[in-house]
Amino acid sequence: MRTSTLLALAVLLAHPAAAAEQKLTGAEIKAALADHVFAGSNDGRAVEQSFDASGRTLYTEDGNASQGLWEVRGDQYCSQWPPHDAWSCYDMTADGKTVTFISSSGVRYVMTLAK
């Protein structure tokens, strides 16, 4: 990883005593996700998602994997899951090692840095 990416990630994932959820910019989203793996749950099922810097993403839920694409558009994370052509975009926040993807309808998906 480049030094600037490491520095941006260190700033994002630092856990100060009074950490608070902060909205991420496009550059911060890219730095937080690229070449990292996050874990969480979806309706009680374990999920994990990796984000390759090339724009590929792998989402695994209870052992079932789905490969898609991701990119940053403006200050949003966007993803596409073939065979569908549509892209879905989300605002993102971070609080320490936790990131939250927020849909246009306000649904929040919380994940924590795993790798």
PDB file of all heavy atoms in Angstrom, residues 62-89:
ATOM      1  N   ASP A  62     -23.000 -16.689   5.315  1.00  0.00           N
ATOM      2  CA  ASP A  62     -23.150 -18.089   5.747  1.00  0.00           C
ATOM      3  C   ASP A  62     -22.539 -19.062   4.746  1.00  0.00           C
ATOM      4  O   ASP A  62     -23.124 -20.078   4.396  1.00  0.00           O
ATOM      5  CB  ASP A  62     -24.622 -18.433   5.990  1.00  0.00           C
ATOM      6  CG  ASP A  62     -25.092 -17.963   7.364  1.00  0.00           C
ATOM      7  OD1 ASP A  62     -24.238 -17.641   8.211  1.00  0.00           O
ATOM      8  OD2 ASP A  62     -26.307 -17.932   7.590  1.00  0.00           O
ATOM      9  N   GLY A  63     -21.355 -18.735   4.218  1.00  0.00           N
ATOM     10  CA  GLY A  63     -20.635 -19.619   3.312  1.00  0.00           C
ATOM     11  C   GLY A  63     -21.006 -19.489   1.846  1.00  0.00           C
ATOM     12  O   GLY A  63     -20.361 -20.089   0.994  1.00  0.00           O
ATOM     13  N   ASN A  64     -22.041 -18.739   1.509  1.00  0.00           N
ATOM     14  CA  ASN A  64     -22.440 -18.538   0.105  1.00  0.00           C
ATOM     15  C   ASN A  64     -21.839 -17.235  -0.396  1.00  0.00           C
ATOM     16  O   ASN A  64     -22.096 -16.169   0.162  1.00  0.00           O
ATOM     17  CB  ASN A  64     -23.966 -18.487  -0.016  1.00  0.00           C
ATOM     18  CG  ASN A  64     -24.600 -19.784   0.431  1.00  0.00           C
ATOM     19  OD1 ASN A  64     -24.170 -20.856   0.028  1.00  0.00           O
ATOM     20  ND2 ASN A  64     -25.600 -19.697   1.299  1.00  0.00           N
ATOM     21  N   ALA A  65     -21.041 -17.335  -1.473  1.00  0.00           N
ATOM     22  CA  ALA A  65     -20.313 -16.166  -1.976  1.00  0.00           C
ATOM     23  C   ALA A  65     -20.959 -15.595  -3.231  1.00  0.00           C
ATOM     24  O   ALA A  65     -21.500 -16.324  -4.054  1.00  0.00           O
ATOM     25  CB  ALA A  65     -18.864 -16.535  -2.263  1.00  0.00           C
ATOM     26  N   SER A  66     -20.844 -14.268  -3.355  1.00  0.00           N
ATOM     27  CA  SER A  66     -21.324 -13.550  -4.529  1.00  0.00           C
ATOM     28  C   SER A  66     -20.274 -12.509  -4.879  1.00  0.00           C
ATOM     29  O   SER A  66     -19.846 -11.737  -4.018  1.00  0.00           O
ATOM     30  CB  SER A  66     -22.656 -12.873  -4.208  1.00  0.00           C
ATOM     31  OG  SER A  66     -23.092 -12.088  -5.276  1.00  0.00           O
ATOM     32  N   GLN A  67     -19.863 -12.482  -6.154  1.00  0.00           N
ATOM     33  CA  GLN A  67     -18.850 -11.527  -6.582  1.00  0.00           C
ATOM     34  C   GLN A  67     -19.506 -10.368  -7.315  1.00  0.00           C
ATOM     35  O   GLN A  67     -20.397 -10.564  -8.145  1.00  0.00           O
ATOM     36  CB  GLN A  67     -17.817 -12.185  -7.485  1.00  0.00           C
ATOM     37  CG  GLN A  67     -16.656 -11.277  -7.792  1.00  0.00           C
ATOM     38  CD  GLN A  67     -15.493 -12.013  -8.432  1.00  0.00           C
ATOM     39  OE1 GLN A  67     -15.550 -13.193  -8.684  1.00  0.00           O
ATOM     40  NE2 GLN A  67     -14.435 -11.288  -8.694  1.00  0.00           N
ATOM     41  N   GLY A  68     -19.060  -9.167  -7.003  1.00  0.00           N
ATOM     42  CA  GLY A  68     -19.594  -7.972  -7.639  1.00  0.00           C
ATOM     43  C   GLY A  68     -18.501  -6.965  -7.915  1.00  0.00           C
ATOM     44  O   GLY A  68     -17.312  -7.284  -7.863  1.00  0.00           O
ATOM     45  N   LEU A  69     -18.929  -5.750  -8.193  1.00  0.00           N
ATOM     46  CA  LEU A  69     -18.021  -4.645  -8.466  1.00  0.00           C
ATOM     47  C   LEU A  69     -18.307  -3.512  -7.497  1.00  0.00           C
ATOM     48  O   LEU A  69     -19.442  -3.348  -7.045  1.00  0.00           O
ATOM     49  CB  LEU A  69     -18.217  -4.146  -9.900  1.00  0.00           C
ATOM     50  CG  LEU A  69     -18.038  -5.179 -11.009  1.00  0.00           C
ATOM     51  CD1 LEU A  69     -18.470  -4.590 -12.345  1.00  0.00           C
ATOM     52  CD2 LEU A  69     -16.591  -5.646 -11.061  1.00  0.00           C
ATOM     53  N   TRP A  70     -17.277  -2.735  -7.185  1.00  0.00           N
ATOM     54  CA  TRP A  70     -17.486  -1.557  -6.342  1.00  0.00           C
ATOM     55  C   TRP A  70     -16.655  -0.398  -6.870  1.00  0.00           C
ATOM     56  O   TRP A  70     -15.647  -0.597  -7.540  1.00  0.00           O
ATOM     57  CB  TRP A  70     -17.163  -1.841  -4.880  1.00  0.00           C
ATOM     58  CG  TRP A  70     -15.696  -1.900  -4.542  1.00  0.00           C
ATOM     59  CD1 TRP A  70     -14.850  -2.958  -4.727  1.00  0.00           C
ATOM     60  CD2 TRP A  70     -14.900  -0.869  -3.950  1.00  0.00           C
ATOM     61  NE1 TRP A  70     -13.596  -2.656  -4.295  1.00  0.00           N
ATOM     62  CE2 TRP A  70     -13.585  -1.368  -3.804  1.00  0.00           C
ATOM     63  CE3 TRP A  70     -15.165   0.431  -3.532  1.00  0.00           C
ATOM     64  CZ2 TRP A  70     -12.554  -0.617  -3.258  1.00  0.00           C
ATOM     65  CZ3 TRP A  70     -14.128   1.179  -2.977  1.00  0.00           C
ATOM     66  CH2 TRP A  70     -12.848   0.649  -2.846  1.00  0.00           C
ATOM     67  N   GLU A  71     -17.131   0.806  -6.584  1.00  0.00           N
ATOM     68  CA  GLU A  71     -16.397   2.015  -6.918  1.00  0.00           C
ATOM     69  C   GLU A  71     -16.927   3.149  -6.059  1.00  0.00           C
ATOM     70  O   GLU A  71     -17.971   3.028  -5.415  1.00  0.00           O
ATOM     71  CB  GLU A  71     -16.517   2.353  -8.404  1.00  0.00           C
ATOM     72  CG  GLU A  71     -17.917   2.710  -8.866  1.00  0.00           C
ATOM     73  CD  GLU A  71     -17.988   2.935 -10.386  1.00  0.00           C
ATOM     74  OE1 GLU A  71     -17.194   2.331 -11.113  1.00  0.00           O
ATOM     75  OE2 GLU A  71     -18.849   3.718 -10.803  1.00  0.00           O
ATOM     76  N   VAL A  72     -16.189   4.234  -6.070  1.00  0.00           N
ATOM     77  CA  VAL A  72     -16.613   5.434  -5.359  1.00  0.00           C
ATOM     78  C   VAL A  72     -17.099   6.434  -6.387  1.00  0.00           C
ATOM     79  O   VAL A  72     -16.435   6.684  -7.390  1.00  0.00           O
ATOM     80  CB  VAL A  72     -15.452   6.026  -4.527  1.00  0.00           C
ATOM     81  CG1 VAL A  72     -15.844   7.352  -3.911  1.00  0.00           C
ATOM     82  CG2 VAL A  72     -15.016   5.033  -3.452  1.00  0.00           C
ATOM     83  N   ARG A  73     -18.288   6.970  -6.144  1.00  0.00           N
ATOM     84  CA  ARG A  73     -18.866   8.014  -7.001  1.00  0.00           C
ATOM     85  C   ARG A  73     -19.173   9.201  -6.110  1.00  0.00           C
ATOM     86  O   ARG A  73     -20.041   9.121  -5.244  1.00  0.00           O
ATOM     87  CB  ARG A  73     -20.147   7.522  -7.671  1.00  0.00           C
ATOM     88  CG  ARG A  73     -19.920   6.394  -8.661  1.00  0.00           C
ATOM     89  CD  ARG A  73     -21.204   5.983  -9.314  1.00  0.00           C
ATOM     90  NE  ARG A  73     -20.980   4.882 -10.255  1.00  0.00           N
ATOM     91  CZ  ARG A  73     -21.951   4.286 -10.922  1.00  0.00           C
ATOM     92  NH1 ARG A  73     -23.214   4.687 -10.780  1.00  0.00           N
ATOM     93  NH2 ARG A  73     -21.665   3.291 -11.751  1.00  0.00           N
ATOM     94  N   GLY A  74     -18.434  10.284  -6.345  1.00  0.00           N
ATOM     95  CA  GLY A  74     -18.588  11.439  -5.456  1.00  0.00           C
ATOM     96  C   GLY A  74     -18.181  11.037  -4.062  1.00  0.00           C
ATOM     97  O   GLY A  74     -17.077  10.536  -3.855  1.00  0.00           O
ATOM     98  N   ASP A  75     -19.071  11.200  -3.101  1.00  0.00           N
ATOM     99  CA  ASP A  75     -18.801  10.813  -1.723  1.00  0.00           C
ATOM    100  C   ASP A  75     -19.659   9.616  -1.321  1.00  0.00           C
ATOM    101  O   ASP A  75     -20.134   9.533  -0.182  1.00  0.00           O
ATOM    102  CB  ASP A  75     -19.058  11.993  -0.774  1.00  0.00           C
ATOM    103  CG  ASP A  75     -17.998  13.078  -0.911  1.00  0.00           C
ATOM    104  OD1 ASP A  75     -16.847  12.749  -1.286  1.00  0.00           O
ATOM    105  OD2 ASP A  75     -18.304  14.250  -0.648  1.00  0.00           O
ATOM    106  N   GLN A  76     -19.860   8.685  -2.268  1.00  0.00           N
ATOM    107  CA  GLN A  76     -20.646   7.491  -1.972  1.00  0.00           C
ATOM    108  C   GLN A  76     -19.936   6.225  -2.448  1.00  0.00           C
ATOM    109  O   GLN A  76     -19.219   6.239  -3.453  1.00  0.00           O
ATOM    110  CB  GLN A  76     -22.009   7.556  -2.656  1.00  0.00           C
ATOM    111  CG  GLN A  76     -22.944   8.591  -2.067  1.00  0.00           C
ATOM    112  CD  GLN A  76     -24.347   8.416  -2.612  1.00  0.00           C
ATOM    113  OE1 GLN A  76     -24.543   8.363  -3.823  1.00  0.00           O
ATOM    114  NE2 GLN A  76     -25.311   8.324  -1.719  1.00  0.00           N
ATOM    115  N   TYR A  77     -20.177   5.150  -1.720  1.00  0.00           N
ATOM    116  CA  TYR A  77     -19.773   3.806  -2.122  1.00  0.00           C
ATOM    117  C   TYR A  77     -20.874   3.283  -3.034  1.00  0.00           C
ATOM    118  O   TYR A  77     -22.058   3.379  -2.704  1.00  0.00           O
ATOM    119  CB  TYR A  77     -19.644   2.905  -0.889  1.00  0.00           C
ATOM    120  CG  TYR A  77     -19.747   1.433  -1.197  1.00  0.00           C
ATOM    121  CD1 TYR A  77     -18.638   0.734  -1.661  1.00  0.00           C
ATOM    122  CD2 TYR A  77     -20.949   0.752  -1.053  1.00  0.00           C
ATOM    123  CE1 TYR A  77     -18.730  -0.623  -1.963  1.00  0.00           C
ATOM    124  CE2 TYR A  77     -21.046  -0.597  -1.347  1.00  0.00           C
ATOM    125  CZ  TYR A  77     -19.938  -1.277  -1.805  1.00  0.00           C
ATOM    126  OH  TYR A  77     -20.030  -2.608  -2.105  1.00  0.00           O
ATOM    127  N   CYS A  78     -20.500   2.708  -4.185  1.00  0.00           N
ATOM    128  CA  CYS A  78     -21.487   2.147  -5.106  1.00  0.00           C
ATOM    129  C   CYS A  78     -21.088   0.720  -5.454  1.00  0.00           C
ATOM    130  O   CYS A  78     -19.894   0.409  -5.573  1.00  0.00           O
ATOM    131  CB  CYS A  78     -21.563   2.987  -6.386  1.00  0.00           C
ATOM    132  SG  CYS A  78     -22.063   4.706  -6.090  1.00  0.00           S
ATOM    133  N   SER A  79     -22.092  -0.146  -5.619  1.00  0.00           N
ATOM    134  CA  SER A  79     -21.813  -1.539  -5.959  1.00  0.00           C
ATOM    135  C   SER A  79     -22.793  -2.050  -7.004  1.00  0.00           C
ATOM    136  O   SER A  79     -23.911  -1.552  -7.126  1.00  0.00           O
ATOM    137  CB  SER A  79     -21.881  -2.423  -4.706  1.00  0.00           C
ATOM    138  OG  SER A  79     -23.165  -2.347  -4.114  1.00  0.00           O
ATOM    139  N   GLN A  80     -22.319  -3.038  -7.740  1.00  0.00           N
ATOM    140  CA  GLN A  80     -23.124  -3.708  -8.768  1.00  0.00           C
ATOM    141  C   GLN A  80     -22.939  -5.204  -8.574  1.00  0.00           C
ATOM    142  O   GLN A  80     -21.818  -5.686  -8.381  1.00  0.00           O
ATOM    143  CB  GLN A  80     -22.649  -3.302 -10.161  1.00  0.00           C
ATOM    144  CG  GLN A  80     -23.421  -4.000 -11.269  1.00  0.00           C
ATOM    145  CD  GLN A  80     -22.728  -3.858 -12.610  1.00  0.00           C
ATOM    146  OE1 GLN A  80     -21.547  -4.124 -12.725  1.00  0.00           O
ATOM    147  NE2 GLN A  80     -23.478  -3.439 -13.607  1.00  0.00           N
ATOM    148  N   TRP A  81     -24.027  -5.939  -8.643  1.00  0.00           N
ATOM    149  CA  TRP A  81     -23.991  -7.382  -8.415  1.00  0.00           C
ATOM    150  C   TRP A  81     -24.575  -8.099  -9.622  1.00  0.00           C
ATOM    151  O   TRP A  81     -25.786  -8.194  -9.772  1.00  0.00           O
ATOM    152  CB  TRP A  81     -24.773  -7.733  -7.137  1.00  0.00           C
ATOM    153  CG  TRP A  81     -24.148  -7.064  -5.955  1.00  0.00           C
ATOM    154  CD1 TRP A  81     -24.486  -5.865  -5.421  1.00  0.00           C
ATOM    155  CD2 TRP A  81     -23.021  -7.524  -5.224  1.00  0.00           C
ATOM    156  NE1 TRP A  81     -23.652  -5.555  -4.385  1.00  0.00           N
ATOM    157  CE2 TRP A  81     -22.742  -6.557  -4.242  1.00  0.00           C
ATOM    158  CE3 TRP A  81     -22.217  -8.660  -5.299  1.00  0.00           C
ATOM    159  CZ2 TRP A  81     -21.692  -6.693  -3.334  1.00  0.00           C
ATOM    160  CZ3 TRP A  81     -21.178  -8.793  -4.398  1.00  0.00           C
ATOM    161  CH2 TRP A  81     -20.923  -7.830  -3.429  1.00  0.00           C
ATOM    162  N   PRO A  82     -23.676  -8.575 -10.532  1.00  0.00           N
ATOM    163  CA  PRO A  82     -24.149  -9.307 -11.713  1.00  0.00           C
ATOM    164  C   PRO A  82     -25.023 -10.490 -11.290  1.00  0.00           C
ATOM    165  O   PRO A  82     -24.818 -11.033 -10.207  1.00  0.00           O
ATOM    166  CB  PRO A  82     -22.866  -9.780 -12.374  1.00  0.00           C
ATOM    167  CG  PRO A  82     -21.841  -8.773 -11.929  1.00  0.00           C
ATOM    168  CD  PRO A  82     -22.239  -8.408 -10.526  1.00  0.00           C
ATOM    169  N   PRO A  83     -26.013 -10.843 -12.084  1.00  0.00           N
ATOM    170  CA  PRO A  83     -26.200 -10.450 -13.475  1.00  0.00           C
ATOM    171  C   PRO A  83     -26.923  -9.113 -13.649  1.00  0.00           C
ATOM    172  O   PRO A  83     -27.188  -8.706 -14.768  1.00  0.00           O
ATOM    173  CB  PRO A  83     -27.051 -11.592 -14.036  1.00  0.00           C
ATOM    174  CG  PRO A  83     -27.891 -12.026 -12.875  1.00  0.00           C
ATOM    175  CD  PRO A  83     -26.982 -11.867 -11.672  1.00  0.00           C
ATOM    176  N   HIS A  84     -27.227  -8.428 -12.570  1.00  0.00           N
ATOM    177  CA  HIS A  84     -27.936  -7.150 -12.663  1.00  0.00           C
ATOM    178  C   HIS A  84     -26.983  -6.049 -13.119  1.00  0.00           C
ATOM    179  O   HIS A  84     -25.821  -6.029 -12.733  1.00  0.00           O
ATOM    180  CB  HIS A  84     -28.561  -6.784 -11.314  1.00  0.00           C
ATOM    181  CG  HIS A  84     -29.470  -7.860 -10.798  1.00  0.00           C
ATOM    182  ND1 HIS A  84     -30.701  -8.131 -11.359  1.00  0.00           N
ATOM    183  CD2 HIS A  84     -29.310  -8.757  -9.806  1.00  0.00           C
ATOM    184  CE1 HIS A  84     -31.255  -9.143 -10.718  1.00  0.00           C
ATOM    185  NE2 HIS A  84     -30.436  -9.542  -9.773  1.00  0.00           N
ATOM    186  N   ASP A  85     -27.482  -5.126 -13.929  1.00  0.00           N
ATOM    187  CA  ASP A  85     -26.680  -4.013 -14.432  1.00  0.00           C
ATOM    188  C   ASP A  85     -26.742  -2.789 -13.524  1.00  0.00           C
ATOM    189  O   ASP A  85     -25.894  -1.909 -13.606  1.00  0.00           O
ATOM    190  CB  ASP A  85     -27.152  -3.594 -15.827  1.00  0.00           C
ATOM    191  CG  ASP A  85     -26.859  -4.654 -16.873  1.00  0.00           C
ATOM    192  OD1 ASP A  85     -25.891  -5.419 -16.699  1.00  0.00           O
ATOM    193  OD2 ASP A  85     -27.605  -4.706 -17.871  1.00  0.00           O
ATOM    194  N   ALA A  86     -27.740  -2.721 -12.653  1.00  0.00           N
ATOM    195  CA  ALA A  86     -27.959  -1.537 -11.826  1.00  0.00           C
ATOM    196  C   ALA A  86     -26.888  -1.402 -10.746  1.00  0.00           C
ATOM    197  O   ALA A  86     -26.425  -2.382 -10.177  1.00  0.00           O
ATOM    198  CB  ALA A  86     -29.336  -1.604 -11.172  1.00  0.00           C
ATOM    199  N   TRP A  87     -26.511  -0.162 -10.483  1.00  0.00           N
ATOM    200  CA  TRP A  87     -25.598   0.160  -9.399  1.00  0.00           C
ATOM    201  C   TRP A  87     -26.408   0.731  -8.251  1.00  0.00           C
ATOM    202  O   TRP A  87     -27.345   1.493  -8.467  1.00  0.00           O
ATOM    203  CB  TRP A  87     -24.569   1.196  -9.858  1.00  0.00           C
ATOM    204  CG  TRP A  87     -23.522   0.646 -10.768  1.00  0.00           C
ATOM    205  CD1 TRP A  87     -23.647   0.391 -12.104  1.00  0.00           C
ATOM    206  CD2 TRP A  87     -22.199   0.267 -10.412  1.00  0.00           C
ATOM    207  NE1 TRP A  87     -22.473  -0.122 -12.600  1.00  0.00           N
ATOM    208  CE2 TRP A  87     -21.555  -0.203 -11.570  1.00  0.00           C
ATOM    209  CE3 TRP A  87     -21.478   0.285  -9.223  1.00  0.00           C
ATOM    210  CZ2 TRP A  87     -20.236  -0.649 -11.576  1.00  0.00           C
ATOM    211  CZ3 TRP A  87     -20.161  -0.157  -9.231  1.00  0.00           C
ATOM    212  CH2 TRP A  87     -19.559  -0.619 -10.398  1.00  0.00           C
ATOM    213  N   SER A  88     -26.056   0.362  -7.029  1.00  0.00           N
ATOM    214  CA  SER A  88     -26.663   0.923  -5.825  1.00  0.00           C
ATOM    215  C   SER A  88     -25.596   1.709  -5.091  1.00  0.00           C
ATOM    216  O   SER A  88     -24.467   1.232  -4.940  1.00  0.00           O
ATOM    217  CB  SER A  88     -27.187  -0.195  -4.911  1.00  0.00           C
ATOM    218  OG  SER A  88     -28.186  -0.932  -5.568  1.00  0.00           O
ATOM    219  N   CYS A  89     -25.942   2.904  -4.628  1.00  0.00           N
ATOM    220  CA  CYS A  89     -24.965   3.762  -3.949  1.00  0.00           C
ATOM    221  C   CYS A  89     -25.395   4.041  -2.516  1.00  0.00           C
ATOM    222  O   CYS A  89     -26.592   4.108  -2.218  1.00  0.00           O
ATOM    223  CB  CYS A  89     -24.783   5.061  -4.723  1.00  0.00           C
ATOM    224  SG  CYS A  89     -24.080   4.799  -6.375  1.00  0.00           S
TER     225      CYS A  89
END
